[in-house]
Amino acid sequence: MKTSIVWFKTDLRLHDNETLIKAIAQSDEIIPVYCFDDAEFVTNEFGFKKMGNFRAQFLLESLSDLDKNLREIGSGLLILKGKPEVEIPKIAQQYKVSKVFAKREVSYEEKQTEAKVQEELFKLKCELKTFSTSTLYHAEDLPFSIKDIPDVFTSFRKKTEKDALIRDSFEEPKEIKSPEIESLKLPTLEDLELSFEPIDSRSVLTFKGGETEAIARLNHYFFETKCISKYKETRNGLFGADYSSKFSAWLALGCISPRFIHDELKKYEQQFGANESTYWLVFELLWRDYFRFMMKKHNANFFQLAGIQNKGIEVNKHNSHQLQQWIDGETGVDFVDANMIELKLTGFMSNRGRQNVASYLCNDLKLDWRYGAAYFEQQLIDYDVCSNWGNWAYLAGVGNDPRGNRYFNIDKQATDYDKDKKYRNLWLKG
């Protein structure tokens, strides 16, 4: 019998999951696994945890939902903990597996882990097969090779929209044949050296992980409220669940795929009409694609102070007191502080807020931008390695910004987006 492993990572869904579909087609039985990688729970060189309480809680919820959905079609999720290059080959040996199917990685550390797993599996005469499952446009369908992708988004977008097609989504499987898989054994937050932190009641949304919740959120934002038809006008908002789609947390863990969102958007447009707002969501998904392709092109340079431009930038000597004030929302700049308190207490912040607090750290405090990116990595419920580091490099003037130095006038921004101080009062009063 041909038994294969499906190694789930940030693709925690059944719909539009090529990895899963190909594994089912090429195997008699499959074993779905998720490995809690020890490297994801360490403190990094900047002094922050790689994964904080909010995202870990969201991950546990997502895995629980994935297991439930797998069991409904005859399978289940096997949980491993340790180093993937040790734990996955162990399971491969135990079940005499000939192939491991997994999502293809693009960023530096994830690619290193993937290579180590591949090397260990090779010793067992077991093949690692990877598939690109995270983007709207498939890398192979782009009108340029990865090394030739323009470093300016607009050039990339125009040519891609003109010359590339979005592939059809994969249907979700109706049945999976698996050996008996023990009931789900998730680690607790304490096991991961984290603690439960309830999301503050002032939060824009109580995020709950999983494919089921992701699809419910999409149906709410599209079909129940038709908020998508006003997205372009409201997306710079600061309040409430519906000023923006809030898909980012589910996209980051792959509880929903960009192609599935695009398919549903097309259905919505046929029913209720297309406009600039419905297009703008695709525009934002393209930015997300772009950062993944840029990470593939520039690799580890995205994590260097000089960025992908290899540009010397002026930074002050590291000041941990200033950094801590920024984290705690105690800079004395009320718009920055309100946003940072929201992030600290909820794991989320609006796009407008993110740009302002990043500009403040880079341009006003002149601190090393990577400390900001590393804090966001710990704190954000919707952390995505490519979007986070890509956006921070952009704001620091060492990424994909053709203008170079993108300075935000924070007083003007606060007046433009929080004229009556409602947002600042919400977060600064206790």
Side-chain angles (χ1 to χ4, degrees), residues 182-219:
E182 61 179 9
S183 59
L184 185 69
K185 288 195 172 70
L186 285 174
T188 62
L189 287 165
E190 288 71 31
D191 293 336
L192 302 169
E193 294 179 22
L194 295 166
S195 55
F196 177 70
E197 213 171 326
I199 294 178
D200 190 286
S201 60
R202 291 167 288 185
S203 175
V204 291
L205 192 69
T206 305
F207 290 94
K208 188 165 189 294
E211 179 175 15
T212 309
E213 291 285 335
I215 291 170
R217 174 64 192 168
L218 180 142
N219 285 327

Side-chain angles (χ1 to χ4, degrees), residues 122-138:
F122 182 73
K123 294 174 188 172
L124 304 174
K125 298 188 170 53
C126 181
E127 186 186 358
L128 178 66
K129 298 191 70 147
T130 62
F131 301 86
S132 183
T133 64
S134 297
T135 50
L136 183 61
Y137 286 91
H138 200 289

Side-chain angles (χ1 to χ4, degrees), residues 286-392:
L286 251 174
W287 257 115
R288 186 177 170 277
D289 273 12
Y290 186 61
F291 281 133
R292 288 195 77 75
F293 298 138
M294 283 291 108
M295 190 67 79
K296 208 169 169 181
K297 177 179 175 179
H298 293 288
N299 212 335
N301 293 338
F302 261 114
F303 305 97
Q304 311 305 322
L305 180 63
I308 65 171
Q309 296 187 19
N310 197 20
K311 180 169 140 190
I313 54 169
E314 184 196 333
V315 290
N316 291 335
K317 183 170 177 291
H318 185 62
N319 184 324
S320 52
H321 176 63
Q322 272 189 329
L323 179 68
Q324 198 58 48
Q325 285 181 319
W326 178 78
I327 288 167
D328 292 334
E330 292 174 355
T331 67
V333 180
D334 60 1
F335 193 54
V336 169
D337 291 346
N339 275 290
M340 292 305 292
I341 290 166
E342 181 183 12
L343 175 62
K344 190 177 189 180
L345 299 181
T346 70
F348 190 80
M349 188 197 293
S350 68
N351 180 53
R352 181 58 41 191
R354 292 178 201 207
Q355 293 180 314
N356 276 277
V357 302
S359 172
Y360 183 77
L361 182 103
C362 298
N363 298 308
D364 294 88
L365 298 180
K366 288 209 172 346
L367 293 179
D368 181 338
W369 64 272
R370 296 173 302 167
Y371 282 88
Y375 176 63
F376 271 29
E377 178 169 348
Q378 170 189 288
Q379 204 62 17
L380 281 173
I381 208 162
D382 64 1
Y383 169 76
D384 167 283
V385 57
C386 305
S387 296
N388 183 64
W389 289 84
N391 272 308
W392 269 95

Side-chain angles (χ1 to χ4, degrees), residues 53-286:
N53 301 332
F54 292 121
R55 183 153 52 97
Q57 178 64 33
F58 191 83
L59 170 62
L60 292 172
E61 291 163 356
S62 299
L63 292 169
S64 182
D65 186 63
L66 178 62
D67 176 69
K68 175 180 74 68
N69 294 340
L70 283 166
R71 288 191 191 271
E72 283 170 7
I73 54 172
S75 188
L77 189 62
L78 186 62
I79 298 293
L80 314 173
K81 189 174 181 306
K83 292 180 173 176
E85 65 268 25
V86 173
E87 300 306 322
I88 289 174
K90 261 191 217 168
I91 298 294
Q93 264 185 305
Q94 187 185 331
Y95 288 94
K96 299 184 175 51
V97 163
S98 58
K99 286 176 185 169
V100 173
F101 292 77
K103 174 196 153 181
R104 187 172 304 146
E105 298 295 351
V106 296
S107 50
Y108 183 68
E109 286 173 2
E110 289 78 356
K111 273 169 70 176
Q112 284 187 311
T113 303
E114 193 178 275
K116 284 179 199 162
V117 172
Q118 187 166 22
E119 202 177 309
E120 292 306 313
L121 290 172
F122 182 73
K123 294 174 188 172
L124 304 174
K125 298 188 170 53
C126 181
E127 186 186 358
L128 178 66
K129 298 191 70 147
T130 62
F131 301 86
S132 183
T133 64
S134 297
T135 50
L136 183 61
Y137 286 91
H138 200 289
E140 287 166 14
D141 301 336
L142 294 176
F144 8 60
S145 65
I146 294 290
K147 67 177 177 46
D148 295 324
I149 291 182
D151 284 334
V152 175
F153 172 70
T154 306
S155 314
F156 162 80
R157 176 183 65 80
K158 285 181 174 166
K159 192 151 174 55
T160 301
E161 285 179 336
K162 184 170 155 285
D163 295 334
L165 289 173
I166 295 165
R167 294 185 182 186
D168 291 337
S169 297
F170 288 87
E171 291 292 318
E172 61 186 271
K174 299 287 179 275
E175 185 191 12
I176 298 178
K177 289 190 173 61
S178 295
E180 194 172 326
I181 292 171
E182 61 179 9
S183 59
L184 185 69
K185 288 195 172 70
L186 285 174
T188 62
L189 287 165
E190 288 71 31
D191 293 336
L192 302 169
E193 294 179 22
L194 295 166
S195 55
F196 177 70
E197 213 171 326
I199 294 178
D200 190 286
S201 60
R202 291 167 288 185
S203 175
V204 291
L205 192 69
T206 305
F207 290 94
K208 188 165 189 294
E211 179 175 15
T212 309
E213 291 285 335
I215 291 170
R217 174 64 192 168
L218 180 142
N219 285 327
H220 167 85
Y221 196 72
F222 285 8
F223 301 103
E224 289 161 20
T225 62
K226 304 187 183 58
C227 285
I228 183 60
S229 290
K230 324 188 280 290
Y231 173 63
K232 190 158 190 265
E233 295 89 81
T234 62
R235 71 195 170 88
N236 280 311
L238 302 167
F239 280 105
D242 294 338
Y243 66 78
S244 66
S245 75
K246 310 288 188 302
F247 296 159
S248 56
W250 291 285
L251 275 166
L253 279 185
C255 299
I256 198 166
S257 84
R259 284 198 307 221
F260 180 82
I261 293 172
H262 185 260
D263 289 349
E264 294 298 303
L265 186 67
K266 289 293 149 215
K267 288 178 199 167
Y268 178 89
E269 288 178 336
Q270 280 170 356
Q271 214 175 329
F272 304 108
N275 65 9
E276 217 181 337
S277 283
T278 58
Y279 165 71
W280 209 258
L281 189 72
V282 183
F283 176 87
E284 297 290 359
L285 288 171
L286 251 174

